[in-house]
């Protein structure tokens, strides 16, 4: 049983691109027409200090520049190692009254990034320059200094770390040796949303830490594929009542003891085969299919004593999916979460969750989490914990929320880092520490990482009293 038939990285895109608080006059409009021509009023040079990007929007395309404290250079052409976040481009825009600022969006309904109009491309922005190893080092380290939001939360003395690493960098050392320096500098930051990928002497390489305890153990002891297949087969054969289903290779659902609804969601997206991932058609198709699935499941489980929403193996995905899920378990609007970008007040945004206009479930909900639960899975948990009918069980989540900010280096290596701060309505931030459960249950013990999940489900079921719903 193939749980992840498409590359998982293609699903882990975050739909939330931060919005400014000031409201532009115009409605969001396509940057390019069906004929491929840009709207005349958005053509020109636009700069976002929040993202460190400069866009040259021409008649038929967009050229993106990386504006860093150490250099301003064009984004390199994608190669086989370029992550999805490095391949997306804005498709919608809204202008302010004066047309001096614009809000750009990747997808309809998403938040926006604010760009300011420039008269021309700054002189410091140059093409066709070859960068030395020390220059690449300065570019990477200053990008971190400018955009990474969690040095304090993750107890990182960045200046000391940079000073120590600089001793190992010399011009002419070669890309393989430079990659080793970057690995030592970046890997133990402890944030799974902060990583670097690239081709090193023709081979794909990846730097990423902060994966918690469970995933590294699983990868060293048989791999994720057999583990996830074992979890699904166990659910189907030993835990759920007859008739359980695997939907779109992303959702396992059924009942427990013929009285409890069970829904496990592996990723916040990937419910359709629409390509390319991250496009407008993809986003619309994903939400349409999710709503169809949830309409069916919540209708089935409307009289259940409770629903177990299992996010203990959720790897994140499209933020709009997380909000659509939260909207299914409330009868009243509520503030789900707030996002801020340090130093950029215009980027702050509160997400208000409106009840879904259709099938909902407001009985007891038990959300299962673990240190595998990350990103969109954590955002969903953060929202649902605002509701009185929701109880979180399991272990704390991983503690990596921010949409990755994609910052390629001039040589084609891609850095992604966390620059957004997600918080509860009360201002609590769980980055770096994870959301703690209301009821602690070990879900993936190393002694039994498959059977432990079944045991945790059975213990959760015992917590759920029979009702006359």
């Amino acid at each position: 049983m193939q749980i992840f038939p498409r590359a998982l990285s293609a699903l882990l895109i975050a739909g939330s691109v931060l919005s400014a608080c000031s409201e532009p006059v115009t409605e969001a409009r396509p940057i390019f027409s069906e004929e491929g021509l840009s709207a005349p009023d958005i053509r020109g040079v636009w700069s976002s200090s929040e993202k460190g990007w400069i866009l040259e929007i021409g008649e038929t395309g967009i050229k993106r520049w990386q504006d860093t404290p150490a250099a301003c250079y064009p984004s390199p052409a994608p190669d086989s190692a370029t992550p999805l976040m490095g391949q997306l481009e804005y498709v919608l825009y809204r202008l302010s009254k004066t047309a001096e600022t614009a809000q750009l969006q990747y997808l309809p309904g998403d938040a926006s990034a604010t760009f300011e109009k420039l008269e021309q491309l700054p002189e410091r922005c140059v093409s066709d320059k070859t960068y030395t190893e020390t220059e690449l080092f300065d570019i990477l380290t200053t990008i971190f200094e400018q955009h990474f939001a969690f040095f304090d939360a993750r107890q990182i003395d960045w200046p000391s770390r940079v000073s120590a690493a600089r001793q190992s960098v010399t011009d002419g050392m070669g890309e393989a040796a430079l990659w080793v320096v970057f690995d030592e500098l970046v890997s133990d930051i402890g944030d799974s949303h902060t990583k670097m990928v690239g081709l090193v002497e023709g081979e794909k390489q990846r730097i990423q830490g902060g994966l918690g305890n469970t995933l590294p153990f699983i990868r060293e002891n048989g791999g994720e594929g057999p583990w996830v297949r074992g979890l699904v087969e166990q659910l189907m054969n030993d835990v759920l009542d007859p008739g359980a289903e695997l939907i779109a290779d992303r959702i396992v659902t059924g009942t427990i003891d013929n009285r409890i609804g069970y829904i496990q969601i592996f990723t916040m997206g990937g419910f359709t085969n629409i390509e390319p991932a991250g496009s407008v058609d993809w986003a619309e198709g994903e939400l349409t299919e999710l709503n169809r699935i949830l309409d069916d499941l919540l209708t089935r489980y409307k009289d259940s004593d409770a629903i177990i929403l299992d996010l203990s193996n959720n790897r994140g995905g499209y933020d709009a999916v997380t909000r659509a899920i939260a909207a299914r378990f409330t009868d009243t609007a509520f503030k789900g979460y707030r996002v801020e970008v340090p130093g950029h007040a215009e980027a702050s945004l509160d997400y208000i969750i409106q009840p879904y206009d259709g099938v909902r479930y407001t009985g007891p909900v038990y959300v299962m989490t673990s240190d595998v639960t990350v990103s969109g899975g954590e955002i969903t948990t953060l929202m649902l914990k605002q509701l009185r009918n929701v109880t979180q069980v399991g272990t704390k989540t991983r503690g990596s929320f921010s949409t990755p900010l994609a910052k390629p280096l001039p040589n084609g290596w891609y850095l992604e880092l966390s620059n957004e701060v997600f918080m509860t309505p009360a201002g609590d931030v769980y980055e770096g520490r994870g959301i703690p459960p209301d009821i602690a249950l070990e879900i993936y013990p190393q002694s039994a990482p498959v059977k432990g999940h079944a045991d945790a489900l059975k213990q959760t079921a015992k917590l759920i009293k029979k009702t006359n719903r």
Side-chain angles (χ1 to χ4, degrees):
M1 186 180 297
Q2 185 67 30
I3 302 302
F4 302 124
R6 297 177 293 280
L8 188 60
S9 62
L11 299 174
L12 302 188
I13 70 168
S16 169
V17 184
L18 292 181
S19 168
C21 294
S22 59
E23 285 298 321
V25 173
T26 61
E27 295 297 325
R29 295 185 289 165
I31 294 176
F32 292 97
S33 67
E34 293 182 359
E35 291 74 27
L37 299 178
S38 64
D41 58 1
I42 194 60
R43 294 174 191 168
V45 182
W46 300 87
S47 172
S48 169
S49 59
E50 173 198 339
K51 304 294 186 182
W53 294 335
I54 295 175
L55 304 182
E56 286 186 287
I57 303 179
E59 184 177 357
T60 60
I62 298 176
K63 183 174 183 178
R64 184 180 294 221
W65 295 77
Q66 301 298 321
D67 188 16
T68 79
C72 179
Y73 52 91
S75 296
D79 58 31
S80 60
T82 301
L84 180 63
M85 290 301 296
Q87 301 179 47
L88 300 178
E89 192 51 89
Y90 291 113
V91 298
L92 299 171
Y93 79 101
R94 294 182 295 174
L95 288 177
S96 65
K97 290 181 179 179
T98 62
E100 293 301 310
T101 63
Q103 293 183 9
L104 304 185
Q105 291 176 292
Y106 288 111
L107 296 171
D110 276 355
S112 311
T114 299
F115 284 75
E116 296 182 357
K117 187 73 174 289
L118 302 181
E119 291 185 3
Q120 61 185 14
L121 187 70
E123 292 184 1
R124 67 180 181 276
C125 299
V126 295
S127 299
D128 302 324
K129 172 179 167 56
T130 300
Y131 290 83
T132 66
E133 287 88 346
T134 55
E135 288 173 327
L136 291 173
F137 180 86
D138 288 340
I139 290 170
L140 179 136
T141 54
T142 57
I143 286 174
F144 262 101
E145 184 177 346
Q146 184 177 47
H147 294 290
F148 188 67
F150 300 107
F151 289 127
D152 291 340
R154 295 187 179 275
Q155 299 180 332
I156 297 168
D157 184 349
W158 187 246
S160 295
R161 183 173 293 202
V162 171
S163 178
R166 190 182 298 277
Q167 307 305 312
S168 302
V169 180
T170 58
D171 290 342
M173 65 190 296
E175 62 179 21
L178 183 63
W179 185 269
V180 171
V181 175
F182 286 172
D183 195 347
E184 294 174 351
L185 189 64
V186 173
S187 60
D188 61 349
I189 284 177
D191 173 17
S192 61
H193 276 165
T194 294
K195 55 186 175 290
M196 196 160 77
V197 296
L199 295 178
V200 181
E201 296 182 345
E203 298 291 330
K204 289 184 182 180
Q205 300 291 339
R206 183 183 187 91
I207 300 170
Q208 183 179 22
L211 296 176
N213 296 319
T214 300
L215 285 184
F217 174 81
I218 292 297
R219 290 174 180 179
E220 294 173 1
N221 292 273
E224 288 187 66
W227 177 55
V228 174
R229 286 193 294 272
L231 290 169
V232 173
E233 290 168 0
Q234 177 178 251
L235 285 168
M236 297 292 196
N237 299 328
D238 302 327
V239 178
L240 301 180
D241 300 322
E245 297 177 69
L246 174 65
I247 301 174
D249 287 334
R250 293 296 184 273
I251 297 174
V252 178
T253 190
T255 60
I256 299 174
D257 299 334
N258 292 307
R259 66 184 186 89
I260 299 168
Y262 176 81
I263 304 171
Q264 179 170 38
I265 304 177
F266 285 101
T267 57
M268 299 304 183
F271 311 122
T272 73
N273 291 312
I274 297 173
E275 296 290 350
S279 67
V280 173
D281 289 343
W282 175 87
E284 293 176 350
E286 289 292 307
L287 291 173
T288 297
E289 182 62 10
L290 173 71
N291 284 329
R292 186 196 67 77
I293 293 169
L294 292 181
D295 282 347
D296 177 40
L297 298 186
L298 296 186
T299 298
R300 293 189 212 176
Y301 306 145
K302 63 183 178 66
D303 295 323
S304 297
D305 294 341
I307 286 179
I308 296 175
L309 179 62
D310 191 347
L311 303 180
S312 67
N313 219 310
N314 189 280
R315 313 304 179 85
Y318 180 28
D319 284 8
V321 168
T322 75
R323 297 189 290 271
I325 292 170
R328 293 293 188 137
F329 297 100
T330 180
D331 280 339
T332 58
F334 69 100
K335 182 177 175 180
Y337 59 96
R338 180 177 178 82
V339 182
E340 296 182 355
V341 177
H344 299 276
E346 77 281 358
S348 299
L349 182 64
D350 292 323
Y351 284 90
I352 306 301
I353 307 304
Q354 298 291 340
Y356 178 72
D357 185 19
V359 184
R360 300 189 302 276
Y361 180 90
T362 55
V365 177
Y366 289 75
V367 178
M368 295 186 69
T369 63
S370 76
D371 69 332
V372 182
T373 310
V374 69
S375 191
E378 295 188 274
I379 297 170
T380 307
T381 304
L382 193 73
M383 288 186 284
L384 291 176
K385 286 199 75 167
Q386 313 304 319
L387 304 177
R388 293 182 179 180
N389 58 316
V390 173
T391 302
Q392 180 188 353
V393 300
T395 59
K396 68 179 182 180
T397 63
R398 193 183 305 171
S400 292
F401 291 78
S402 173
T403 300
L405 175 63
K407 300 293 292 182
L409 304 187
N411 66 343
W413 293 351
Y414 255 87
L415 172 68
E416 293 186 350
L417 49 74
S418 297
N419 74 319
E420 302 172 339
V421 180
F422 282 68
M423 63 186 67
T424 69
D428 296 321
V429 177
Y430 292 101
E431 186 80 24
R433 59 192 182 104
I435 306 171
D438 301 308
I439 300 173
L441 288 175
E442 189 66 40
I443 296 182
Y444 301 122
Q446 292 187 359
S447 60
V450 174
K451 183 177 181 297
H453 181 253
D455 292 342
L457 276 173
K458 292 171 183 176
Q459 292 180 63
T460 302
K462 290 180 180 179
L463 298 172
I464 300 170
K465 298 179 181 179
K466 291 185 178 181
T467 67
N468 296 316
R469 284 178 57 82

